[in-house]
Amino acid sequence: MATFNLFNYLEPPNAFYDFEKIYTAHQWAKKQSWITDYLKQYQPDVIAFQEVFSIESLKNLSYEAGYPYFTTVGDPQIIDDFIYKRPVVAIASRYPITQTCGVQHDDALIHALGLNADFGYSRKVLRATIDLPHLGETDCYVVHLKSKRSTIDIAEHNDVTPEKRFIEQLRAQIVGGWGATVQRGSEATLLMSEIITRRESSQNPLIVMGDFNNSLSDGVLGHLLTNRLRFGSVFDSKAYLAKYVLNDAWDLYVKSLANNELDHVDGTRGDETQPTRTPTHYFGANSSVLDYILLSCEFDAGYHNSFYDVVAYSTYDRHLTHPDFETDDQSTDHAVVMVTCGLRS
């Protein structure tokens, strides 16, 4: 399973966000080729895509790469006839997709959280139910949570002093940055609530993949990996928690290494006992992990009824750390994360 932020996947002559941002025919061909080469080399069985503008183009590319099943929800927004914004997420699979829907949120929770009645996900969350080997119907969620980009736009004024302009920018960064954090955290909270509700009713295994635009170790999204009940009996916690919590695939992989002494795979750095997680995004001199694959207990070998074990974890980042302009200039600004799960012996 892989999660793949495509970075402005829009077929020319359409433009993304601004009328000047249009791929040339040559650039678009290189971008298509780069994506296809990754899929052919690593051959994930299920791929979650983010930043999709050209849905039919990606569907055709996926089909030609060996993925007969493809789905998405919603459409990107079009302004001024050919300028696009608000891309969507999608998923491609070698196995049948039996159901597709956009995840809705609970209006009562919107009110409880003190959010506006018209609150919505910045990008629609996709839930695709896929008939996976040995597991059967599995609910796969694709997310692209709100970025850290400020929610406040600064108007251009030619008649203000440099200090005044600086103050406006500083205030926008502080207030707008917090606005983005509130949006992102609220999206994750509402999604997790819906995941729990769906799990109770369907009993399907869970996979959540995508660009979270935040580290899961940050308190803003930390509740996605809740593994204890603060109030309640110890018996209830042990009996039910494992069924409803999510596990970071990286953590399951590290646990698998410790238990089985598996060899290193691409994407890990460090000694055999303490592999180091590779960043998936770089901004200036800073790096972070923004792209995740979260799994339910059916993929945790420590759970007595699990089917699978996470046996490999790959972070494809060569285009970020050692780019070749001729090959990588139309790639993506994120690493591609892939996990491999093997049946428990």
Side-chain angles (χ1 to χ4, degrees), residues 194-225:
E194 292 305 307
I195 286 174
I196 292 170
T197 300
R198 169 68 177 179
R199 173 76 151 165
E200 180 187 17
S201 64
S202 73
Q203 302 295 308
N204 290 344
L206 293 165
I207 303 170
V208 183
M209 301 181 282
D211 177 359
F212 290 71
N213 267 314
N214 213 110
S215 169
L216 292 189
S217 61
D218 190 318
V220 176
L221 300 185
H223 51 281
L224 290 175
L225 299 179

PDB file of all heavy atoms in Angstrom, residues 194-225:
ATOM      1  N   GLU A 194     -15.882   9.500  12.903  1.00  0.00           N
ATOM      2  CA  GLU A 194     -16.613   8.762  11.867  1.00  0.00           C
ATOM      3  C   GLU A 194     -16.001   7.386  11.620  1.00  0.00           C
ATOM      4  O   GLU A 194     -16.718   6.412  11.346  1.00  0.00           O
ATOM      5  CB  GLU A 194     -16.640   9.570  10.570  1.00  0.00           C
ATOM      6  CG  GLU A 194     -17.484  10.836  10.648  1.00  0.00           C
ATOM      7  CD  GLU A 194     -18.907  10.553  11.097  1.00  0.00           C
ATOM      8  OE1 GLU A 194     -19.566   9.696  10.486  1.00  0.00           O
ATOM      9  OE2 GLU A 194     -19.346  11.174  12.082  1.00  0.00           O
ATOM     10  N   ILE A 195     -14.680   7.294  11.718  1.00  0.00           N
ATOM     11  CA  ILE A 195     -14.013   6.005  11.546  1.00  0.00           C
ATOM     12  C   ILE A 195     -14.469   5.024  12.623  1.00  0.00           C
ATOM     13  O   ILE A 195     -14.752   3.845  12.350  1.00  0.00           O
ATOM     14  CB  ILE A 195     -12.475   6.184  11.587  1.00  0.00           C
ATOM     15  CG1 ILE A 195     -11.988   6.819  10.275  1.00  0.00           C
ATOM     16  CG2 ILE A 195     -11.771   4.858  11.834  1.00  0.00           C
ATOM     17  CD1 ILE A 195     -10.504   7.166  10.275  1.00  0.00           C
ATOM     18  N   ILE A 196     -14.556   5.500  13.862  1.00  0.00           N
ATOM     19  CA  ILE A 196     -15.000   4.637  14.959  1.00  0.00           C
ATOM     20  C   ILE A 196     -16.438   4.183  14.738  1.00  0.00           C
ATOM     21  O   ILE A 196     -16.774   3.005  14.920  1.00  0.00           O
ATOM     22  CB  ILE A 196     -14.856   5.385  16.302  1.00  0.00           C
ATOM     23  CG1 ILE A 196     -13.378   5.605  16.620  1.00  0.00           C
ATOM     24  CG2 ILE A 196     -15.533   4.610  17.432  1.00  0.00           C
ATOM     25  CD1 ILE A 196     -13.126   6.530  17.796  1.00  0.00           C
ATOM     26  N   THR A 197     -17.291   5.116  14.316  1.00  0.00           N
ATOM     27  CA  THR A 197     -18.691   4.770  14.058  1.00  0.00           C
ATOM     28  C   THR A 197     -18.809   3.735  12.944  1.00  0.00           C
ATOM     29  O   THR A 197     -19.567   2.761  13.054  1.00  0.00           O
ATOM     30  CB  THR A 197     -19.488   6.034  13.682  1.00  0.00           C
ATOM     31  OG1 THR A 197     -19.428   6.966  14.753  1.00  0.00           O
ATOM     32  CG2 THR A 197     -20.938   5.706  13.378  1.00  0.00           C
ATOM     33  N   ARG A 198     -18.046   3.942  11.872  1.00  0.00           N
ATOM     34  CA  ARG A 198     -18.078   3.001  10.751  1.00  0.00           C
ATOM     35  C   ARG A 198     -17.535   1.629  11.164  1.00  0.00           C
ATOM     36  O   ARG A 198     -18.087   0.594  10.798  1.00  0.00           O
ATOM     37  CB  ARG A 198     -17.242   3.571   9.596  1.00  0.00           C
ATOM     38  CG  ARG A 198     -16.955   2.611   8.464  1.00  0.00           C
ATOM     39  CD  ARG A 198     -18.183   2.246   7.668  1.00  0.00           C
ATOM     40  NE  ARG A 198     -17.810   1.374   6.556  1.00  0.00           N
ATOM     41  CZ  ARG A 198     -18.675   0.867   5.679  1.00  0.00           C
ATOM     42  NH1 ARG A 198     -19.964   1.132   5.798  1.00  0.00           N
ATOM     43  NH2 ARG A 198     -18.252   0.098   4.700  1.00  0.00           N
ATOM     44  N   ARG A 199     -16.482   1.625  11.943  1.00  0.00           N
ATOM     45  CA  ARG A 199     -15.876   0.362  12.407  1.00  0.00           C
ATOM     46  C   ARG A 199     -16.881  -0.444  13.231  1.00  0.00           C
ATOM     47  O   ARG A 199     -16.992  -1.656  13.087  1.00  0.00           O
ATOM     48  CB  ARG A 199     -14.642   0.688  13.238  1.00  0.00           C
ATOM     49  CG  ARG A 199     -13.990  -0.506  13.926  1.00  0.00           C
ATOM     50  CD  ARG A 199     -13.212  -1.355  12.978  1.00  0.00           C
ATOM     51  NE  ARG A 199     -12.102  -2.008  13.671  1.00  0.00           N
ATOM     52  CZ  ARG A 199     -11.396  -3.027  13.202  1.00  0.00           C
ATOM     53  NH1 ARG A 199     -11.667  -3.501  11.998  1.00  0.00           N
ATOM     54  NH2 ARG A 199     -10.405  -3.541  13.889  1.00  0.00           N
ATOM     55  N   GLU A 200     -17.623   0.250  14.086  1.00  0.00           N
ATOM     56  CA  GLU A 200     -18.617  -0.436  14.916  1.00  0.00           C
ATOM     57  C   GLU A 200     -19.685  -1.107  14.055  1.00  0.00           C
ATOM     58  O   GLU A 200     -20.102  -2.236  14.332  1.00  0.00           O
ATOM     59  CB  GLU A 200     -19.269   0.561  15.873  1.00  0.00           C
ATOM     60  CG  GLU A 200     -20.321  -0.066  16.773  1.00  0.00           C
ATOM     61  CD  GLU A 200     -21.073   0.960  17.598  1.00  0.00           C
ATOM     62  OE1 GLU A 200     -21.017   2.159  17.254  1.00  0.00           O
ATOM     63  OE2 GLU A 200     -21.721   0.549  18.586  1.00  0.00           O
ATOM     64  N   SER A 201     -20.124  -0.416  13.004  1.00  0.00           N
ATOM     65  CA  SER A 201     -21.225  -0.939  12.196  1.00  0.00           C
ATOM     66  C   SER A 201     -20.774  -1.961  11.166  1.00  0.00           C
ATOM     67  O   SER A 201     -21.493  -2.929  10.889  1.00  0.00           O
ATOM     68  CB  SER A 201     -21.949   0.213  11.500  1.00  0.00           C
ATOM     69  OG  SER A 201     -21.085   0.873  10.592  1.00  0.00           O
ATOM     70  N   SER A 202     -19.584  -1.770  10.580  1.00  0.00           N
ATOM     71  CA  SER A 202     -19.152  -2.648   9.484  1.00  0.00           C
ATOM     72  C   SER A 202     -18.248  -3.785   9.935  1.00  0.00           C
ATOM     73  O   SER A 202     -18.204  -4.839   9.287  1.00  0.00           O
ATOM     74  CB  SER A 202     -18.414  -1.834   8.423  1.00  0.00           C
ATOM     75  OG  SER A 202     -17.126  -1.457   8.882  1.00  0.00           O
ATOM     76  N   GLN A 203     -17.496  -3.556  11.002  1.00  0.00           N
ATOM     77  CA  GLN A 203     -16.473  -4.507  11.477  1.00  0.00           C
ATOM     78  C   GLN A 203     -15.351  -4.706  10.450  1.00  0.00           C
ATOM     79  O   GLN A 203     -14.551  -5.633  10.568  1.00  0.00           O
ATOM     80  CB  GLN A 203     -17.098  -5.874  11.812  1.00  0.00           C
ATOM     81  CG  GLN A 203     -18.195  -5.820  12.850  1.00  0.00           C
ATOM     82  CD  GLN A 203     -17.688  -5.385  14.219  1.00  0.00           C
ATOM     83  OE1 GLN A 203     -16.745  -5.949  14.738  1.00  0.00           O
ATOM     84  NE2 GLN A 203     -18.315  -4.360  14.778  1.00  0.00           N
ATOM     85  N   ASN A 204     -15.273  -3.827   9.449  1.00  0.00           N
ATOM     86  CA  ASN A 204     -14.236  -3.962   8.424  1.00  0.00           C
ATOM     87  C   ASN A 204     -12.876  -3.532   8.961  1.00  0.00           C
ATOM     88  O   ASN A 204     -12.779  -2.594   9.749  1.00  0.00           O
ATOM     89  CB  ASN A 204     -14.558  -3.100   7.201  1.00  0.00           C
ATOM     90  CG  ASN A 204     -15.740  -3.612   6.417  1.00  0.00           C
ATOM     91  OD1 ASN A 204     -16.165  -4.753   6.592  1.00  0.00           O
ATOM     92  ND2 ASN A 204     -16.276  -2.782   5.539  1.00  0.00           N
ATOM     93  N   PRO A 205     -11.796  -4.186   8.513  1.00  0.00           N
ATOM     94  CA  PRO A 205     -10.449  -3.675   8.802  1.00  0.00           C
ATOM     95  C   PRO A 205     -10.289  -2.270   8.236  1.00  0.00           C
ATOM     96  O   PRO A 205     -11.020  -1.862   7.328  1.00  0.00           O
ATOM     97  CB  PRO A 205      -9.526  -4.674   8.074  1.00  0.00           C
ATOM     98  CG  PRO A 205     -10.345  -5.913   7.939  1.00  0.00           C
ATOM     99  CD  PRO A 205     -11.758  -5.438   7.753  1.00  0.00           C
ATOM    100  N   LEU A 206      -9.299  -1.528   8.764  1.00  0.00           N
ATOM    101  CA  LEU A 206      -9.134  -0.119   8.411  1.00  0.00           C
ATOM    102  C   LEU A 206      -7.743   0.189   7.891  1.00  0.00           C
ATOM    103  O   LEU A 206      -6.744  -0.309   8.409  1.00  0.00           O
ATOM    104  CB  LEU A 206      -9.346   0.761   9.649  1.00  0.00           C
ATOM    105  CG  LEU A 206     -10.736   0.821  10.264  1.00  0.00           C
ATOM    106  CD1 LEU A 206     -10.654   1.431  11.653  1.00  0.00           C
ATOM    107  CD2 LEU A 206     -11.642   1.659   9.387  1.00  0.00           C
ATOM    108  N   ILE A 207      -7.697   1.043   6.874  1.00  0.00           N
ATOM    109  CA  ILE A 207      -6.444   1.626   6.399  1.00  0.00           C
ATOM    110  C   ILE A 207      -6.714   3.109   6.171  1.00  0.00           C
ATOM    111  O   ILE A 207      -7.687   3.470   5.504  1.00  0.00           O
ATOM    112  CB  ILE A 207      -5.977   0.983   5.079  1.00  0.00           C
ATOM    113  CG1 ILE A 207      -5.812  -0.526   5.227  1.00  0.00           C
ATOM    114  CG2 ILE A 207      -4.654   1.605   4.609  1.00  0.00           C
ATOM    115  CD1 ILE A 207      -5.576  -1.252   3.906  1.00  0.00           C
ATOM    116  N   VAL A 208      -5.873   3.979   6.740  1.00  0.00           N
ATOM    117  CA  VAL A 208      -5.989   5.421   6.525  1.00  0.00           C
ATOM    118  C   VAL A 208      -4.670   5.897   5.935  1.00  0.00           C
ATOM    119  O   VAL A 208      -3.607   5.696   6.530  1.00  0.00           O
ATOM    120  CB  VAL A 208      -6.286   6.175   7.840  1.00  0.00           C
ATOM    121  CG1 VAL A 208      -6.469   7.664   7.554  1.00  0.00           C
ATOM    122  CG2 VAL A 208      -7.514   5.602   8.523  1.00  0.00           C
ATOM    123  N   MET A 209      -4.723   6.521   4.758  1.00  0.00           N
ATOM    124  CA  MET A 209      -3.504   6.920   4.053  1.00  0.00           C
ATOM    125  C   MET A 209      -3.625   8.351   3.566  1.00  0.00           C
ATOM    126  O   MET A 209      -4.706   8.802   3.219  1.00  0.00           O
ATOM    127  CB  MET A 209      -3.263   6.006   2.840  1.00  0.00           C
ATOM    128  CG  MET A 209      -3.111   4.538   3.171  1.00  0.00           C
ATOM    129  SD  MET A 209      -2.790   3.524   1.696  1.00  0.00           S
ATOM    130  CE  MET A 209      -4.448   3.421   1.007  1.00  0.00           C
ATOM    131  N   GLY A 210      -2.476   9.037   3.526  1.00  0.00           N
ATOM    132  CA  GLY A 210      -2.517  10.350   2.914  1.00  0.00           C
ATOM    133  C   GLY A 210      -1.503  11.332   3.439  1.00  0.00           C
ATOM    134  O   GLY A 210      -0.563  10.981   4.163  1.00  0.00           O
ATOM    135  N   ASP A 211      -1.729  12.586   3.053  1.00  0.00           N
ATOM    136  CA  ASP A 211      -0.897  13.716   3.458  1.00  0.00           C
ATOM    137  C   ASP A 211      -1.616  14.388   4.624  1.00  0.00           C
ATOM    138  O   ASP A 211      -2.650  15.020   4.447  1.00  0.00           O
ATOM    139  CB  ASP A 211      -0.729  14.674   2.275  1.00  0.00           C
ATOM    140  CG  ASP A 211       0.063  15.924   2.618  1.00  0.00           C
ATOM    141  OD1 ASP A 211       0.475  16.070   3.788  1.00  0.00           O
ATOM    142  OD2 ASP A 211       0.250  16.766   1.723  1.00  0.00           O
ATOM    143  N   PHE A 212      -1.029  14.268   5.827  1.00  0.00           N
ATOM    144  CA  PHE A 212      -1.664  14.796   7.033  1.00  0.00           C
ATOM    145  C   PHE A 212      -1.220  16.234   7.321  1.00  0.00           C
ATOM    146  O   PHE A 212      -1.747  16.870   8.228  1.00  0.00           O
ATOM    147  CB  PHE A 212      -1.345  13.893   8.222  1.00  0.00           C
ATOM    148  CG  PHE A 212      -2.028  12.554   8.171  1.00  0.00           C
ATOM    149  CD1 PHE A 212      -1.657  11.583   7.252  1.00  0.00           C
ATOM    150  CD2 PHE A 212      -3.059  12.264   9.045  1.00  0.00           C
ATOM    151  CE1 PHE A 212      -2.293  10.352   7.204  1.00  0.00           C
ATOM    152  CE2 PHE A 212      -3.710  11.039   9.010  1.00  0.00           C
ATOM    153  CZ  PHE A 212      -3.333  10.077   8.080  1.00  0.00           C
ATOM    154  N   ASN A 213      -0.231  16.713   6.574  1.00  0.00           N
ATOM    155  CA  ASN A 213       0.263  18.085   6.719  1.00  0.00           C
ATOM    156  C   ASN A 213       0.653  18.425   8.147  1.00  0.00           C
ATOM    157  O   ASN A 213       0.591  19.592   8.569  1.00  0.00           O
ATOM    158  CB  ASN A 213      -0.777  19.091   6.202  1.00  0.00           C
ATOM    159  CG  ASN A 213      -0.538  19.443   4.746  1.00  0.00           C
ATOM    160  OD1 ASN A 213       0.594  19.720   4.349  1.00  0.00           O
ATOM    161  ND2 ASN A 213      -1.578  19.396   3.939  1.00  0.00           N
ATOM    162  N   ASN A 214       1.049  17.425   8.903  1.00  0.00           N
ATOM    163  CA  ASN A 214       1.423  17.618  10.301  1.00  0.00           C
ATOM    164  C   ASN A 214       2.069  16.330  10.783  1.00  0.00           C
ATOM    165  O   ASN A 214       1.742  15.244  10.297  1.00  0.00           O
ATOM    166  CB  ASN A 214       0.186  17.907  11.154  1.00  0.00           C
ATOM    167  CG  ASN A 214       0.450  18.841  12.319  1.00  0.00           C
ATOM    168  OD1 ASN A 214       0.009  19.984  12.326  1.00  0.00           O
ATOM    169  ND2 ASN A 214       1.183  18.368  13.306  1.00  0.00           N
ATOM    170  N   SER A 215       2.938  16.455  11.761  1.00  0.00           N
ATOM    171  CA  SER A 215       3.482  15.267  12.405  1.00  0.00           C
ATOM    172  C   SER A 215       2.452  14.684  13.353  1.00  0.00           C
ATOM    173  O   SER A 215       1.773  15.418  14.073  1.00  0.00           O
ATOM    174  CB  SER A 215       4.753  15.625  13.179  1.00  0.00           C
ATOM    175  OG  SER A 215       5.150  14.553  14.010  1.00  0.00           O
ATOM    176  N   LEU A 216       2.327  13.373  13.389  1.00  0.00           N
ATOM    177  CA  LEU A 216       1.377  12.748  14.298  1.00  0.00           C
ATOM    178  C   LEU A 216       1.851  12.818  15.738  1.00  0.00           C
ATOM    179  O   LEU A 216       1.066  12.569  16.664  1.00  0.00           O
ATOM    180  CB  LEU A 216       1.135  11.293  13.899  1.00  0.00           C
ATOM    181  CG  LEU A 216       0.394  11.066  12.582  1.00  0.00           C
ATOM    182  CD1 LEU A 216       0.030   9.600  12.431  1.00  0.00           C
ATOM    183  CD2 LEU A 216      -0.852  11.925  12.481  1.00  0.00           C
ATOM    184  N   SER A 217       3.120  13.144  15.940  1.00  0.00           N
ATOM    185  CA  SER A 217       3.621  13.300  17.303  1.00  0.00           C
ATOM    186  C   SER A 217       3.214  14.650  17.891  1.00  0.00           C
ATOM    187  O   SER A 217       3.320  14.876  19.096  1.00  0.00           O
ATOM    188  CB  SER A 217       5.150  13.170  17.321  1.00  0.00           C
ATOM    189  OG  SER A 217       5.756  14.180  16.519  1.00  0.00           O
ATOM    190  N   ASP A 218       2.738  15.534  17.042  1.00  0.00           N
ATOM    191  CA  ASP A 218       2.240  16.840  17.473  1.00  0.00           C
ATOM    192  C   ASP A 218       0.868  16.651  18.138  1.00  0.00           C
ATOM    193  O   ASP A 218       0.063  15.840  17.695  1.00  0.00           O
ATOM    194  CB  ASP A 218       2.114  17.756  16.247  1.00  0.00           C
ATOM    195  CG  ASP A 218       1.829  19.200  16.612  1.00  0.00           C
ATOM    196  OD1 ASP A 218       1.012  19.426  17.514  1.00  0.00           O
ATOM    197  OD2 ASP A 218       2.432  20.098  15.993  1.00  0.00           O
ATOM    198  N   GLY A 219       0.615  17.420  19.172  1.00  0.00           N
ATOM    199  CA  GLY A 219      -0.647  17.286  19.876  1.00  0.00           C
ATOM    200  C   GLY A 219      -1.866  17.563  19.023  1.00  0.00           C
ATOM    201  O   GLY A 219      -2.968  17.100  19.330  1.00  0.00           O
ATOM    202  N   VAL A 220      -1.688  18.301  17.925  1.00  0.00           N
ATOM    203  CA  VAL A 220      -2.827  18.639  17.073  1.00  0.00           C
ATOM    204  C   VAL A 220      -3.471  17.387  16.483  1.00  0.00           C
ATOM    205  O   VAL A 220      -4.695  17.305  16.358  1.00  0.00           O
ATOM    206  CB  VAL A 220      -2.383  19.592  15.939  1.00  0.00           C
ATOM    207  CG1 VAL A 220      -3.536  19.878  14.986  1.00  0.00           C
ATOM    208  CG2 VAL A 220      -1.845  20.888  16.522  1.00  0.00           C
ATOM    209  N   LEU A 221      -2.661  16.402  16.128  1.00  0.00           N
ATOM    210  CA  LEU A 221      -3.178  15.175  15.517  1.00  0.00           C
ATOM    211  C   LEU A 221      -2.917  13.940  16.369  1.00  0.00           C
ATOM    212  O   LEU A 221      -3.183  12.816  15.929  1.00  0.00           O
ATOM    213  CB  LEU A 221      -2.540  14.960  14.132  1.00  0.00           C
ATOM    214  CG  LEU A 221      -2.754  16.058  13.082  1.00  0.00           C
ATOM    215  CD1 LEU A 221      -2.161  15.627  11.750  1.00  0.00           C
ATOM    216  CD2 LEU A 221      -4.230  16.391  12.915  1.00  0.00           C
ATOM    217  N   GLY A 222      -2.396  14.137  17.565  1.00  0.00           N
ATOM    218  CA  GLY A 222      -2.016  12.999  18.394  1.00  0.00           C
ATOM    219  C   GLY A 222      -3.155  12.054  18.704  1.00  0.00           C
ATOM    220  O   GLY A 222      -2.942  10.854  18.916  1.00  0.00           O
ATOM    221  N   HIS A 223      -4.397  12.568  18.719  1.00  0.00           N
ATOM    222  CA  HIS A 223      -5.537  11.721  19.065  1.00  0.00           C
ATOM    223  C   HIS A 223      -5.822  10.657  18.005  1.00  0.00           C
ATOM    224  O   HIS A 223      -6.573   9.714  18.274  1.00  0.00           O
ATOM    225  CB  HIS A 223      -6.785  12.575  19.299  1.00  0.00           C
ATOM    226  CG  HIS A 223      -7.074  13.534  18.196  1.00  0.00           C
ATOM    227  ND1 HIS A 223      -6.411  14.732  18.055  1.00  0.00           N
ATOM    228  CD2 HIS A 223      -7.950  13.478  17.168  1.00  0.00           C
ATOM    229  CE1 HIS A 223      -6.871  15.371  17.001  1.00  0.00           C
ATOM    230  NE2 HIS A 223      -7.795  14.634  16.438  1.00  0.00           N
ATOM    231  N   LEU A 224      -5.240  10.795  16.825  1.00  0.00           N
ATOM    232  CA  LEU A 224      -5.431   9.757  15.809  1.00  0.00           C
ATOM    233  C   LEU A 224      -4.804   8.434  16.235  1.00  0.00           C
ATOM    234  O   LEU A 224      -5.177   7.373  15.724  1.00  0.00           O
ATOM    235  CB  LEU A 224      -4.827  10.203  14.470  1.00  0.00           C
ATOM    236  CG  LEU A 224      -5.556  11.335  13.741  1.00  0.00           C
ATOM    237  CD1 LEU A 224      -4.775  11.755  12.513  1.00  0.00           C
ATOM    238  CD2 LEU A 224      -6.971  10.912  13.369  1.00  0.00           C
ATOM    239  N   LEU A 225      -3.854   8.502  17.153  1.00  0.00           N
ATOM    240  CA  LEU A 225      -3.177   7.290  17.639  1.00  0.00           C
ATOM    241  C   LEU A 225      -3.509   7.034  19.107  1.00  0.00           C
ATOM    242  O   LEU A 225      -2.724   6.417  19.830  1.00  0.00           O
ATOM    243  CB  LEU A 225      -1.661   7.414  17.448  1.00  0.00           C
ATOM    244  CG  LEU A 225      -1.177   7.581  16.001  1.00  0.00           C
ATOM    245  CD1 LEU A 225       0.335   7.714  15.955  1.00  0.00           C
ATOM    246  CD2 LEU A 225      -1.628   6.400  15.144  1.00  0.00           C
TER     247      LEU A 225
END
